[in-house]
């Protein structure tokens, strides 16, 4: 039995949910993982807007906090049943030190939270590669997995203190690949902007 919930994407709901989330995030400043994930989880149509950022077809499958085989858990998985393509998204906290922490005089070190998110992505990719025909995995996803894309959402724009940190962060986003596919990294502010871009494109189709 598939572990996923079915969803019929609604553009109006996505627009409303994104507007409310943007207002909430703007008023929060720095915020912990539990709180911010709860806000995203309450807005499933908004969450579906991440699919186009990950290069996926319109999702009709969604699951928050997917755990299989008692090993690894991912915060959000979006999928398209027809194409069998899935996007796995890790949400980390949005604190001042979520991306970089104290380091040397010249630069700060990558923080444990963002490294944790990427470790989760690598573990999920390993499970898929090591057990591509595993009955539990295939059953949980409702069929075979054709392609997986990955994203880690972590931190706020304001936590990047200077141009060096912004460029390091951008380089990490553009350079990393898992199984030949980009492993995106975005701040929550960038996530909102990407969702707004996706929404604008979708509105041109109606």
């Amino acid at each position: 039995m598939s572990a996923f919930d079915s969803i019929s994407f609604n553009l109006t709901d996505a627009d409303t949910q994104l507007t409310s989330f943007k207002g909430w995030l703007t008023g929060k400043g720095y915020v912990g993982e539990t709180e911010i994930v709860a806000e995203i989880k309450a807005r499933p149509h908004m969450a579906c807007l991440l699919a186009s950022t990950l290069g996926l077809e319109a999702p009709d499958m969604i699951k928050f906090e997917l755990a299989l085989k008692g090993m690894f858990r991912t915060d959000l998985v979006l999928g398209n049943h027809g194409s069998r393509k899935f996007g796995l998204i890790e949400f980390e906290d949005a604190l001042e030190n979520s991306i970089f922490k104290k380091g040397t005089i010249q630069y700060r070190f990558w923080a444990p939270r963002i490294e944790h998110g990427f470790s989760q992505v690598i573990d999920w990719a390993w499970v898929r590669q090591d057990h591509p025909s595993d009955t539990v995995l295939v059953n949980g996803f409702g069929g075979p997995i054709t392609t997986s894309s990955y994203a880690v959402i972590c931190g706020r724009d304001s936590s990047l203190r200077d141009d060096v940190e912004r460029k390091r962060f951008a380089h990490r986003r553009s350079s990393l690949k898992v199984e030949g596919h980009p492993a995106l990294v975005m701040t929550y502010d960038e996530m909102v902007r990407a969702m707004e871009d996706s929404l604008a494109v979708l509105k041109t189709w109606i």
Side-chain angles (χ1 to χ4, degrees), residues 21-206:
F21 179 81
K22 183 178 179 180
W24 174 84
L25 186 64
T26 299
K28 289 299 294 187
Y30 295 117
V31 59
E33 178 184 352
T34 300
E35 186 177 1
I36 201 165
V37 170
E39 293 294 329
I40 295 170
K41 190 174 182 179
R43 298 169 171 86
H45 293 276
M46 178 195 80
C48 285
L49 292 170
L50 280 170
S52 61
T53 304
L54 292 170
L56 303 174
E57 287 88 346
D60 53 15
M61 303 168 66
I62 187 171
K63 182 65 177 180
F64 286 94
E65 300 178 354
L66 176 65
L68 294 175
K69 299 180 71 64
M71 295 177 67
F72 309 115
R73 178 187 64 83
T74 193
D75 293 314
L76 171 63
V77 184
L78 301 171
N80 182 280
H81 183 73
S83 67
R84 307 304 305 162
K85 294 181 179 180
F86 294 87
L88 288 82
I89 299 120
E90 281 296 320
F91 297 114
E92 297 296 334
D93 50 30
L95 302 176
E96 188 174 8
N97 61 352
S98 296
I99 300 173
F100 294 107
K101 57 175 288 187
K102 60 183 179 180
T104 69
I105 295 176
Q106 292 180 313
Y107 70 97
R108 292 193 295 166
F109 301 136
W110 290 103
R113 295 308 304 175
I114 193 168
E115 299 291 13
H116 174 267
F118 275 98
S119 295
Q120 291 285 95
V121 162
I122 294 299
D123 282 336
W124 265 101
W126 168 75
V127 168
R128 178 182 179 275
Q129 185 180 67
D130 199 51
H131 307 282
S133 301
D134 182 90
T135 301
V136 175
L137 189 65
V138 172
N139 194 51
F141 277 76
I145 303 170
T146 302
T147 304
S148 296
S149 300
Y150 304 94
V152 176
I153 316 297
C154 183
R156 301 294 307 268
D157 285 356
S158 57
S159 68
L160 301 173
R161 293 182 177 178
D162 53 34
D163 196 45
V164 170
E165 290 190 353
R166 286 187 288 272
K167 286 182 177 179
R168 288 171 68 194
F169 189 70
H171 180 73
R172 187 165 192 160
R173 172 172 50 244
S174 62
S175 300
L176 292 181
K177 291 187 177 182
V178 176
E179 298 178 320
H181 300 282
L184 297 178
V185 54
M186 294 185 286
T187 66
Y188 283 95
D189 303 280
E190 288 176 322
M191 181 192 78
V192 167
R193 291 194 292 272
M195 287 176 168
E196 289 177 325
D197 290 343
S198 296
L199 192 64
V201 171
L202 290 171
K203 285 180 177 180
T204 66
W205 295 352
I206 60 174

